[in-house]
Amino acid sequence: MKKVNLIVTVATALSLSLFSCSSESVEIAKKLQNSYEYEGKTVELTGEFDAPFFTFSSGQSKTIPMAFVVKPGAMSSEKESISDIVLPQGADKNSVTLELGPNEKKYTLKNFNVFDDKGEKYNLDQHQSFKIKGKVHYAEFDKPEADRRADNFALQITDVTIEKN
């Protein structure tokens, strides 16, 4: 009987982890991209880092604007992607490294490593799940109120804390 209970417990835990929903993260991601509700606020999202969308202009930048993908569940094909999760470059806590050879210009997930709030290193090619917390700022709020567009939701999330999920 104990063996059956153990199997049921393990199966339940496994199914909860595989099918656990981060629908709250999806809802927040949608609102981030369609309203100014979170301006100046700290948000928490659960998902995976993705390679950023940028071109190389100089090697002098101290930050990398990473992409972050959230899904309602592990088996879901629906996803929301948020760009501009701004992380400092380096091997410190809550940072990212990009490892490319001197003449390389193309990159993939395997070229990126993130360091969580404990300083643990994770290669993004492993598709690990993380919980991030960061402060939201929309570019439109840098403009005078009369010049702001109501449909420009370009944002950055800064002061990011990364926790392995």
Side-chain angles (χ1 to χ4, degrees):
M1 189 66 178
K2 286 184 179 183
K3 188 175 183 180
V4 171
N5 286 342
L6 178 63
I7 292 171
V8 169
T9 303
V10 170
T12 302
L14 183 59
S15 66
L16 284 174
S17 68
L18 282 176
F19 299 107
S20 65
C21 294
S22 58
S23 58
E24 185 177 339
S25 291
V26 172
E27 292 305 312
I28 291 171
K30 287 178 181 179
K31 287 179 183 178
L32 285 170
Q33 298 174 74
N34 293 299
S35 75
Y36 297 118
E37 178 179 341
Y38 290 101
E39 168 61 27
K41 296 180 182 174
T42 298
V43 294
E44 183 176 294
L45 301 166
T46 301
E48 293 181 10
F49 283 102
D50 199 359
F53 306 105
F54 64 79
T55 56
F56 294 99
S57 56
S58 99
Q60 305 304 315
S61 179
K62 295 182 192 293
T63 62
I64 295 179
M66 299 297 293
F68 197 72
V69 178
V70 298
K71 299 193 291 189
M75 304 305 281
S76 176
S77 61
E78 178 192 359
K79 64 182 179 180
E80 293 290 327
S81 183
I82 301 169
S83 56
D84 284 343
I85 308 297
V86 181
L87 297 177
Q89 280 195 62
D92 299 321
K93 294 177 181 178
N94 303 308
S95 65
V96 62
T97 59
L98 171 60
E99 298 173 3
L100 285 177
N103 295 323
E104 286 184 84
K105 295 291 182 193
K106 294 183 180 182
Y107 57 88
T108 65
L109 285 176
K110 71 177 170 61
N111 299 109
F112 290 93
N113 296 300
V114 294
F115 295 82
D116 69 7
D117 59 345
K118 295 179 179 93
E120 295 293 319
K121 178 180 176 179
Y122 301 93
N123 184 269
L124 295 188
D125 202 33
Q126 298 169 347
H127 298 280
Q128 309 252 353
S129 178
F130 296 94
K131 184 185 298 183
I132 64 169
K133 292 180 187 176
K135 187 175 181 181
V136 177
H137 177 66
Y138 292 92
E140 286 299 306
F141 284 81
D142 293 334
K143 299 176 183 177
E145 193 169 344
D147 296 337
R148 294 181 191 163
R149 289 181 32 204
D151 62 346
N152 181 10
F153 300 107
L155 64 96
Q156 288 188 330
I157 297 180
T158 59
D159 303 322
V160 177
T161 302
I162 304 166
E163 183 181 319
K164 175 71 175 81
N165 197 23

